[in-house]
């Protein structure tokens, strides 16, 4: 699953649907409740952004590092390309799920308006980051094509001018975006370096989402009410990818949901992913287990 799912869920869905095929699926990621002036709101993950992992590759001419004047160093176009990727604003897209998410949070009207305005959302993210930088990171990811260069390799040793260099870039696309949007942004951001940097698609997975007129959605909302006394829920778009994307493409309805104790906020939870500390509390695991048990029981009673 951490390596694009090619030899895992993707293979099983495409080659052994008779063994793994389902109409409804509960997937791995859930979010803590969001505090609002009128009480907590419980996010239900209804979809996820699409990973478009891309390798940037440049070529040069090998030589001795002791005499670099005029050398054709493969790192030079990569360095220029990276500068562009880090400094060029990322494209904005406001989805229907995001509008519903914002509308459910009891925000100040001007803040809410800014968060769904493509021309003001960056300003709103910067303002949010002053008080809650981790939540601001989610808001940015939920409203932008995100670009994160995460691994760079070039050359063979210290005294050899590199004849090749590569960078692995993690890109996540919102609904309505595809490979053409990704490549267009990369070429624009790289500027003149685009003439010397090759774009190699590594993993292309379109964004996916599920509708909410079905018994699993009803079972989840009913179960949240059983455990919290509230039916206030909002759809959330996951910024990460799960194996659910392969099932959604076959028509499966898939959601992520859970309950957490009061020690973990929405923003703090997001900062745990691939960080120094990925642990959640035992109490949160118990709460989520109890919720999912109720969801399954309630779903069974609805579809009987």
């Amino acid at each position: 699953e951490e390596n694009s799912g090619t030899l895992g869920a993707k293979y099983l869905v495409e080659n052994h649907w008779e063994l793994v095929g389902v109409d409804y699926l509960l997937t791995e990621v859930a979010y803590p409740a969001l505090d609002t002036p009128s009480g907590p709101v419980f996010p239900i993950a209804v979809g996820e952004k699409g990973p478009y992992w891309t390798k940037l590759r440049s070529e040069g001419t090998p030589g001795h590092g002791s005499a670099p004047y005029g050398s054709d160093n493969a790192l030079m176009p990569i360095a220029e390309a990276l500068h562009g990727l880090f400094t060029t604003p990322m494209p904005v897209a406001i989805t229907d799920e995001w509008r519903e998410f914002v509308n459910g949070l009891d925000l100040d009207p001007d803040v809410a308006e800014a968060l769904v305005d493509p021309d003001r959302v960056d300003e709103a993210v910067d303002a949010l980051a002053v008080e809650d930088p981790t939540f601001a990171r989610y808001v940015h990811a939920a409203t932008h094509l995100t670009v994160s260069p995460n691994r760079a390799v070039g050359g063979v040793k210290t005294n050899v001018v590199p004849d090749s260099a590569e960078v692995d870039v993690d890109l996540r696309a919102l609904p309505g975006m595809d490979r053409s949007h990704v490549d267009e942004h990369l070429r624009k951001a790289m500027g003149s370096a685009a003439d010397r940097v090759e774009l190699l698609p590594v993993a292309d997975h379109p964004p996916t989402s599920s509708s909410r007129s079905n018994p699993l959605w009803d079972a989840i909302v009913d179960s949240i009410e059983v455990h919290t006394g509230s039916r206030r829920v909002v759809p959330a778009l996951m910024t990460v990818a799960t194996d659910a994307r392969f099932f959604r493409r076959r028509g499966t309805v898939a959601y992520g949901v859970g309950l957490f104790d009061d020690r973990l906020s929405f923003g703090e939870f997001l900062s745990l992913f691939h960080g120094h500390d990925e642990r959640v509390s035992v109490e949160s695991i118990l709460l989520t287990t109890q919720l999912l048990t109720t969801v399954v029981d309630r779903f069974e009673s609805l579809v009987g």
Side-chain angles (χ1 to χ4, degrees), residues 4 48-56 85 144-150 167-186 199-208 239-241 245 249:
S4 190
E48 53 197 66
K49 297 178 72 177
Y52 282 88
W53 293 355
T54 304
K55 187 182 294 292
L56 311 184
L85 295 187
H144 291 72
L145 167 68
T146 54
V147 183
S148 185
N150 292 335
V167 173
D168 293 329
V169 186
D170 184 353
L171 298 105
R172 307 281 171 146
L174 288 160
M177 297 178 176
D178 57 16
R179 169 53 68 176
S180 64
H181 289 83
V182 169
D183 286 353
E184 180 181 1
H185 174 72
L186 288 174
L199 302 182
L200 302 173
V202 175
D204 282 18
H205 298 280
T208 62
T239 60
V240 300
R245 65 188 184 277
R249 293 175 199 166

XYZ file of all heavy atoms in Angstrom, residues 4 48-56 85 144-150 167-186 199-208 239-241 245 249:
419
model
N 2.352 2.422 -3.761
C 1.370 2.646 -4.822
C 0.349 1.527 -4.980
O -0.519 1.607 -5.839
C 2.080 2.899 -6.157
O 1.190 3.338 -7.135
N -10.607 10.748 -1.734
C -9.190 11.059 -1.552
C -8.601 11.657 -2.818
O -9.083 11.422 -3.931
C -8.417 9.805 -1.163
C -8.599 8.630 -2.093
C -8.158 7.323 -1.462
O -8.797 6.879 -0.484
O -7.161 6.755 -1.945
N -7.573 12.461 -2.606
C -6.861 13.041 -3.738
C -6.120 11.941 -4.498
O -5.894 10.848 -3.983
C -5.879 14.108 -3.248
C -6.547 15.284 -2.573
C -5.523 16.281 -2.056
C -4.852 17.059 -3.174
N -3.914 18.084 -2.658
N -5.751 12.268 -5.731
C -5.071 11.284 -6.563
C -3.570 11.484 -6.582
O -3.091 12.568 -6.912
N -2.791 10.466 -6.206
C -1.332 10.578 -6.279
C -0.855 10.525 -7.740
O -1.243 9.636 -8.490
C -0.822 9.347 -5.511
C -2.026 8.739 -4.867
C -3.213 9.166 -5.670
N -0.038 11.483 -8.105
C 0.596 11.492 -9.417
C 2.105 11.616 -9.206
O 2.706 12.643 -9.501
C 0.055 12.641 -10.278
C -1.298 12.361 -10.871
C -2.456 12.663 -10.170
C -1.415 11.772 -12.129
C -3.713 12.390 -10.710
C -2.668 11.492 -12.670
C -3.803 11.808 -11.958
O -5.039 11.529 -12.487
N 2.695 10.547 -8.676
C 4.135 10.570 -8.415
C 4.890 10.700 -9.735
O 4.557 10.051 -10.731
C 4.560 9.299 -7.698
C 4.013 9.183 -6.306
C 3.285 10.112 -5.630
C 4.137 8.062 -5.430
N 2.950 9.639 -4.377
C 3.454 8.390 -4.230
C 4.761 6.818 -5.547
C 3.382 7.512 -3.160
C 4.690 5.932 -4.469
C 4.013 6.286 -3.296
N 5.924 11.541 -9.709
C 6.665 11.849 -10.929
C 8.161 11.916 -10.635
O 8.571 12.466 -9.609
C 6.201 13.198 -11.513
O 4.789 13.161 -11.744
C 6.913 13.499 -12.829
N 8.939 11.352 -11.535
C 10.404 11.446 -11.425
C 10.904 12.499 -12.409
O 10.539 12.467 -13.589
C 11.050 10.091 -11.719
C 12.558 10.064 -11.458
C 13.145 8.704 -11.825
C 12.629 7.606 -10.926
N 13.114 7.741 -9.529
N 11.722 13.427 -11.927
C 12.392 14.389 -12.786
C 13.796 13.862 -13.064
O 14.508 13.472 -12.132
C 12.495 15.758 -12.124
C 11.231 16.363 -11.495
C 11.526 17.765 -10.990
C 10.078 16.367 -12.470
N 9.841 24.663 -8.472
C 8.776 23.886 -7.833
C 8.497 24.385 -6.415
O 7.354 24.390 -5.962
C 9.155 22.402 -7.787
C 9.283 21.674 -9.127
C 9.489 20.184 -8.898
C 8.067 21.901 -10.003
N -5.638 22.537 -3.107
C -4.575 22.757 -4.089
C -4.070 21.436 -4.679
O -4.122 20.396 -4.023
C -3.364 23.450 -3.442
C -3.591 24.860 -3.023
N -4.371 25.197 -1.940
C -3.119 26.038 -3.530
C -4.374 26.515 -1.802
N -3.621 27.042 -2.748
N -3.567 21.526 -5.889
C -2.660 20.500 -6.394
C -1.360 20.680 -5.613
O -0.731 21.737 -5.689
C -2.397 20.690 -7.891
C -1.231 19.883 -8.480
C -1.553 18.394 -8.491
C -0.870 20.377 -9.876
N -0.976 19.687 -4.834
C 0.220 19.839 -4.010
C 1.434 19.197 -4.684
O 1.319 18.170 -5.353
C 0.032 19.231 -2.612
O -0.402 17.867 -2.730
C -0.990 20.032 -1.822
N 2.584 19.840 -4.480
C 3.837 19.428 -5.109
C 4.902 19.358 -4.031
O 5.229 20.364 -3.403
C 4.263 20.426 -6.203
C 5.528 19.942 -6.905
C 3.136 20.659 -7.209
N 5.446 18.165 -3.795
C 6.440 17.988 -2.739
C 7.629 17.176 -3.241
O 7.570 15.944 -3.279
C 5.806 17.299 -1.523
O 6.727 17.217 -0.455
N 8.718 17.840 -3.644
C 9.936 17.097 -4.013
C 10.545 16.475 -2.753
O 10.894 17.182 -1.816
C 10.857 18.192 -4.579
C 9.951 19.350 -4.893
C 8.872 19.286 -3.863
N 10.687 15.146 -2.742
C 11.026 14.472 -1.489
C 12.301 13.635 -1.537
O 12.774 13.201 -0.488
C 9.868 13.553 -1.066
C 8.638 14.349 -0.672
O 8.722 15.504 -0.277
N 7.484 13.736 -0.799
N 15.017 13.398 -9.277
C 14.252 13.857 -8.121
C 12.888 13.183 -8.154
O 12.229 13.154 -9.209
C 14.055 15.395 -8.124
C 13.121 15.815 -6.997
C 15.396 16.103 -7.984
N 12.472 12.618 -7.018
C 11.138 12.033 -6.894
C 10.201 13.064 -6.286
O 10.483 13.609 -5.206
C 11.178 10.789 -6.015
C 11.961 9.655 -6.663
O 11.952 9.567 -7.904
O 12.579 8.860 -5.928
N 9.106 13.326 -6.975
C 8.157 14.363 -6.554
C 6.805 13.724 -6.264
O 6.265 12.967 -7.085
C 7.997 15.456 -7.632
C 7.116 16.591 -7.103
C 9.357 15.993 -8.064
N 6.268 14.030 -5.095
C 4.934 13.564 -4.703
C 3.931 14.653 -5.059
O 3.962 15.740 -4.476
C 4.916 13.280 -3.201
C 3.591 12.700 -2.716
O 2.637 12.643 -3.512
O 3.505 12.313 -1.540
N 3.058 14.378 -6.018
C 2.005 15.307 -6.404
C 0.657 14.680 -6.088
O 0.456 13.487 -6.318
C 2.074 15.648 -7.887
C 3.356 16.343 -8.347
C 4.244 15.391 -9.108
C 3.029 17.566 -9.201
N -0.262 15.475 -5.539
C -1.604 14.994 -5.209
C -2.631 15.908 -5.880
O -2.672 17.112 -5.616
C -1.813 14.993 -3.696
C -0.732 14.250 -2.914
C -0.926 12.747 -2.945
N 0.216 12.043 -2.380
C 0.151 10.917 -1.692
N -1.030 10.359 -1.469
N 1.233 10.328 -1.240
N -3.457 15.295 -6.715
C -4.410 16.057 -7.516
C -5.813 15.996 -6.935
O -6.226 14.976 -6.374
C -4.427 15.541 -8.946
N -6.538 17.076 -7.089
C -7.928 17.169 -6.664
C -8.858 16.687 -7.778
O -8.440 16.585 -8.943
C -8.268 18.618 -6.298
C -7.646 19.134 -5.001
C -7.631 20.652 -4.991
C -8.417 18.600 -3.796
N -10.115 16.360 -7.440
C -11.076 15.991 -8.479
C -11.112 17.031 -9.597
O -11.093 18.237 -9.337
C -12.404 15.950 -7.712
C -12.006 15.555 -6.321
C -10.696 16.261 -6.078
N -11.135 16.563 -10.827
C -11.106 17.454 -11.981
C -9.719 17.641 -12.562
O -9.562 18.218 -13.644
N -8.686 17.169 -11.841
C -7.308 17.268 -12.327
C -6.836 15.898 -12.805
O -7.209 14.877 -12.239
C -6.378 17.762 -11.222
C -6.679 19.153 -10.701
S -5.544 19.600 -9.345
C -6.052 21.301 -9.033
N -5.987 15.889 -13.836
C -5.422 14.636 -14.328
C -3.947 14.844 -14.648
O -3.351 15.861 -14.303
C -6.199 14.127 -15.548
C -6.231 15.147 -16.683
O -5.421 16.104 -16.671
O -7.062 14.992 -17.597
N -3.339 13.868 -15.313
C -1.907 13.943 -15.621
C -1.570 15.187 -16.432
O -0.502 15.800 -16.254
C -1.484 12.670 -16.354
C -0.105 12.694 -16.978
C 1.017 13.072 -16.036
N 1.305 12.104 -15.009
C 2.300 12.227 -14.139
N 3.099 13.289 -14.181
N 2.496 11.330 -13.203
N -2.440 15.607 -17.328
C -2.149 16.793 -18.140
C -2.035 18.036 -17.263
O -1.175 18.898 -17.501
C -3.226 16.993 -19.211
O -4.493 17.269 -18.629
N -2.885 18.157 -16.220
C -2.794 19.284 -15.295
C -1.464 19.250 -14.535
O -0.814 20.279 -14.340
C -3.945 19.241 -14.286
C -5.279 19.567 -14.857
N -6.052 18.635 -15.508
C -5.990 20.723 -14.868
C -7.188 19.195 -15.895
N -7.174 20.454 -15.528
N -1.086 18.048 -14.106
C 0.154 17.885 -13.343
C 1.356 18.286 -14.184
O 2.202 19.088 -13.753
C 0.291 16.423 -12.860
C 1.682 16.168 -12.299
C -0.772 16.115 -11.810
N 1.457 17.736 -15.388
C 2.611 18.031 -16.239
C 2.656 19.496 -16.639
O 3.742 20.096 -16.711
C 2.576 17.154 -17.488
C 2.943 15.708 -17.203
O 3.354 15.423 -16.055
O 2.809 14.865 -18.108
N 1.499 20.077 -16.895
C 1.461 21.491 -17.266
C 2.022 22.357 -16.142
O 2.810 23.279 -16.384
C 0.025 21.909 -17.589
C -0.112 23.376 -17.989
C -1.553 23.772 -18.274
O -2.447 22.913 -18.136
O -1.783 24.946 -18.621
N 1.625 22.050 -14.904
C 2.137 22.836 -13.783
C 3.639 22.623 -13.606
O 4.389 23.587 -13.372
C 1.418 22.477 -12.490
C 2.008 23.167 -11.293
N 1.847 24.506 -11.052
C 2.808 22.679 -10.285
C 2.502 24.846 -9.944
N 3.091 23.760 -9.469
N 4.096 21.377 -13.707
C 5.520 21.107 -13.524
C 6.359 21.862 -14.548
O 7.375 22.487 -14.204
C 5.781 19.606 -13.631
C 5.300 18.747 -12.460
C 5.503 17.264 -12.775
C 6.025 19.119 -11.176
N 10.200 14.441 -17.630
C 9.162 14.058 -16.675
C 8.797 12.599 -16.901
O 8.357 12.228 -17.987
C 7.914 14.934 -16.845
C 8.095 16.445 -16.686
C 6.748 17.144 -16.852
C 8.702 16.771 -15.341
N 8.959 11.784 -15.859
C 8.672 10.362 -15.969
C 7.575 9.991 -14.975
O 7.813 9.961 -13.758
C 9.930 9.540 -15.682
C 11.144 9.835 -16.575
C 12.364 9.089 -16.065
C 10.841 9.446 -18.019
N 6.359 9.714 -15.439
C 5.292 9.297 -14.520
C 5.672 8.006 -13.796
O 6.137 7.052 -14.422
C 4.089 9.083 -15.442
C 4.387 9.908 -16.658
C 5.882 9.831 -16.822
N 5.472 7.985 -12.491
C 5.771 6.815 -11.677
C 4.486 6.128 -11.236
O 4.395 4.901 -11.232
C 6.623 7.200 -10.447
C 6.827 6.007 -9.519
C 7.961 7.777 -10.883
N 3.498 6.924 -10.842
C 2.209 6.375 -10.407
C 1.123 7.395 -10.703
O 1.201 8.529 -10.229
C 2.240 6.044 -8.917
N 0.144 7.009 -11.479
C -0.981 7.874 -11.809
C -2.265 7.256 -11.258
O -2.691 6.197 -11.729
C -1.117 8.045 -13.322
C -0.103 9.025 -13.896
O 0.900 9.296 -13.195
O -0.299 9.506 -15.028
N -2.853 7.917 -10.274
C -4.082 7.417 -9.660
C -5.072 8.575 -9.561
O -4.899 9.464 -8.722
C -3.814 6.841 -8.279
C -2.891 5.661 -8.293
N -3.310 4.395 -8.617
C -1.567 5.567 -8.034
C -2.286 3.557 -8.558
N -1.211 4.245 -8.210
N -6.093 8.609 -10.394
C -7.064 9.697 -10.362
C -7.747 9.804 -8.998
O -7.888 8.802 -8.286
C -8.073 9.316 -11.451
C -7.322 8.385 -12.351
C -6.379 7.633 -11.465
N -8.177 11.007 -8.622
C -8.937 11.168 -7.378
C -10.219 10.347 -7.413
O -10.780 10.108 -8.481
C -9.250 12.675 -7.346
C -8.311 13.296 -8.326
C -8.020 12.266 -9.360
N -10.667 9.900 -6.238
C -11.901 9.127 -6.158
C -12.757 9.638 -5.006
O -12.237 10.199 -4.040
C -11.622 7.628 -5.923
O -10.946 7.462 -4.668
C -10.774 7.044 -7.033
N -6.281 13.797 2.074
C -5.137 14.265 1.296
C -4.164 13.126 1.022
O -3.283 13.249 0.176
C -4.413 15.394 2.035
O -3.943 14.912 3.311
C -5.358 16.562 2.274
N -4.323 12.013 1.758
C -3.489 10.828 1.542
C -4.258 9.842 0.669
O -5.428 10.045 0.362
C -3.106 10.172 2.883
C -2.332 11.152 3.749
C -4.358 9.698 3.631
N -3.591 8.753 0.291
C -4.226 7.734 -0.548
C -4.373 6.440 0.236
O -3.518 6.091 1.046
C -3.399 7.485 -1.803
N -9.173 3.481 -3.202
C -9.298 4.068 -4.543
C -9.492 3.005 -5.621
O -10.200 3.226 -6.600
C -8.078 4.939 -4.859
C -6.749 4.226 -4.971
C -5.622 5.269 -5.082
N -4.297 4.684 -5.297
C -3.512 4.213 -4.342
N -3.944 4.222 -3.087
N -2.313 3.736 -4.620
N -13.143 2.594 -8.013
C -13.176 2.548 -9.480
C -14.047 1.422 -9.995
O -14.481 1.438 -11.152
C -11.750 2.390 -10.028
C -10.868 3.600 -9.783
C -9.446 3.321 -10.230
N -8.509 4.250 -9.629
C -7.194 4.093 -9.623
N -6.664 3.029 -10.211
N -6.415 4.981 -9.053
